[in-house]
Amino acid sequence: MRALVTGATGFVGAAVVRALLKAGVDVRVLSRRDSDVSNLQSLTVDYAYGDLRDHASLRKALAGCGQLYHVAAHYALWAKDPAIFYNVNVEGTKNLLEAAREVGTERIVYCSTIGAIGLPPTGGPGTEDTPVSLSHMAGHYKRSKYLAEQEVLRMAKEGLPVVIVNPSAPVGEGDVKPTPTGQMIVDFMKGRMPAYIETGMNIVDVDDVAEGHLLAMQKGRIGERYILGCKNLLLREVFEILSKLTGIKAPSIKLPRSAVLPLAYANHWLANLTGRPPRIPLEGVKMAKYKMHYDCSKAIRALGIPQAPPEVALGKAVRWFKSHGYA
């Protein structure tokens, strides 16, 4: 069996490639010719050059592949031109899945995001069935991924053999860009975290997320969503774990969100003016209003996703960032 993986040069995508190769699957990756492929060095993969916005290149890449793992996305909390989120995450996903339908791909796993999962208004963890709408999505990334997921669900109802996975906050090895969660870890390691806004997140090992993709391919039900996560933590608890791992003191000053929000707006305005990413991402501050806690029991029960403790996952991330000169 040959599998095509999109987004393979990124954090989660590269982990999926490693898991597939370990399982003995022949892997082809979709990549732009100018992509940084350092995450795939030493891995034996077949390259198909193309772009999610180029339908012909997608059909060519999918030829001979019985499985498709669509992990690629424009993942950021800010972009000077927000259209890129919709061009890549929504239109690109539609292009790819339409091409997969045309060539007869046997089975597909679509990597969405935990941000597309609802949170109960009265508190408590969200599940795959928690009601949610576009109006609940904060920022262009979440809105674009929500819209993309709606397209995937529509195509599943039309008969496309696609399963959806929603990773929470993956951490671990290979976070080359890094992701917003990875950047938080790097900033902590550099001593750039004198204070924080309390919020909540669900931490999961990126290798467990990758294994969850393979399990969804094998066991997932068509048209259903599975939260790939592990443990719900407060941000303060994440910093306490990082402190034990690094010996760096955890920040003790907890700032009210209302005090940081004006600074985030000002930083956002400056970023739009200069074209340089904001140091205080507005969407990140907005999302801090919610404790992003989720019930991962469906994926544990139905798929058997591994559950490495967050201490293990964060330890992998710290060691990788240190050994690769990030901090």
Side-chain angles (χ1 to χ4, degrees):
M1 176 65 72
R2 172 173 287 184
L4 177 68
V5 182
T6 73
T9 59
F11 181 37
V12 173
V16 171
V17 171
R18 293 194 299 269
L20 285 167
L21 292 174
K22 185 178 179 180
V25 178
D26 185 16
V27 177
R28 176 182 293 163
V29 303
L30 178 70
S31 172
R32 294 189 301 273
R33 291 190 179 276
D34 60 350
S35 293
D36 176 4
V37 296
S38 57
N39 246 352
L40 301 177
Q41 286 180 357
S42 77
L43 300 181
T44 304
V45 298
D46 175 34
Y47 285 89
Y49 295 105
D51 191 286
L52 291 174
R53 292 161 287 190
D54 179 359
H55 191 83
S57 72
L58 300 179
R59 283 180 58 97
K60 186 176 180 181
L62 283 161
C65 294
Q67 298 179 346
L68 166 63
Y69 292 87
H70 179 29
V71 189
H74 186 75
Y75 179 29
L77 295 180
W78 174 86
K80 188 172 178 64
D81 181 5
I84 191 172
F85 290 104
Y86 304 94
N87 292 338
V88 173
N89 297 349
V90 184
E91 297 304 319
T93 295
K94 288 169 62 178
N95 284 341
L96 180 65
L97 296 192
E98 286 168 1
R101 181 160 55 189
E102 290 167 8
V103 303
T105 304
E106 297 171 19
R107 197 158 166 93
I108 304 162
V109 171
Y110 168 65
C111 181
S112 184
T113 175
I114 199 66
I117 300 286
L119 288 167
T122 55
T127 73
E128 290 87 349
D129 299 320
T130 303
V132 68
S133 68
L134 184 61
S135 63
H136 294 107
M137 300 293 110
H140 294 291
Y141 173 70
K142 281 191 176 184
R143 282 196 284 270
S144 66
K145 291 294 282 184
Y146 173 85
L147 292 170
E149 194 176 280
Q150 296 306 301
E151 290 296 328
V152 175
L153 289 169
R154 175 185 63 78
M155 296 178 81
K157 288 180 181 178
E158 294 173 353
L160 190 72
V162 58
V163 179
I164 300 170
V165 293
N166 300 77
S168 56
V171 296
E173 300 175 352
D175 195 356
V176 289
K177 282 194 175 178
T179 61
T181 307
Q183 187 61 54
M184 177 193 73
I185 296 170
V186 170
D187 287 343
F188 180 93
M189 294 173 70
K190 288 184 172 181
R192 293 177 178 172
M193 284 284 180
Y196 68 101
I197 307 172
E198 187 64 283
T199 186
M201 61 180 63
N202 183 285
I203 294 290
V204 62
D205 191 318
V206 72
D207 293 327
D208 290 349
V209 170
E211 188 63 28
H213 279 68
L214 274 63
L215 290 166
M217 182 67 76
Q218 299 163 14
K219 302 179 182 180
R221 296 182 62 180
I222 302 303
E224 290 204 11
R225 302 192 292 175
Y226 298 88
I227 295 173
L228 304 184
C230 184
K231 187 171 182 179
N232 294 316
L233 295 169
L234 294 174
L235 185 55
R236 169 180 51 81
E237 295 174 310
V238 174
F239 288 147
E240 288 171 355
I241 294 171
L242 289 173
S243 180
K244 291 177 182 177
L245 290 168
T246 64
I248 298 169
K249 187 177 179 181
S252 57
I253 302 172
K254 183 170 70 173
L255 298 173
R257 180 174 162 274
S258 58
V260 180
L261 197 55
L263 296 175
Y265 272 107
N267 212 227
H268 184 78
W269 173 84
L270 186 62
N272 287 336
L273 188 66
T274 63
R276 299 178 64 183
R279 287 290 303 159
I280 308 174
L282 177 60
E283 303 307 339
V285 176
K286 286 183 176 180
M287 286 188 286
K289 177 181 179 181
Y290 307 98
K291 286 185 173 64
M292 305 287 284
H293 285 173
Y294 296 91
D295 180 351
C296 310
S297 59
K298 180 180 177 180
I300 297 170
R301 180 181 66 253
L303 304 181
I305 179 176
Q307 296 283 278
E311 292 83 359
V312 172
L314 288 165
K316 288 181 182 179
V318 166
R319 289 190 295 274
W320 190 87
F321 283 130
K322 186 175 181 180
S323 66
H324 287 76
Y326 285 78

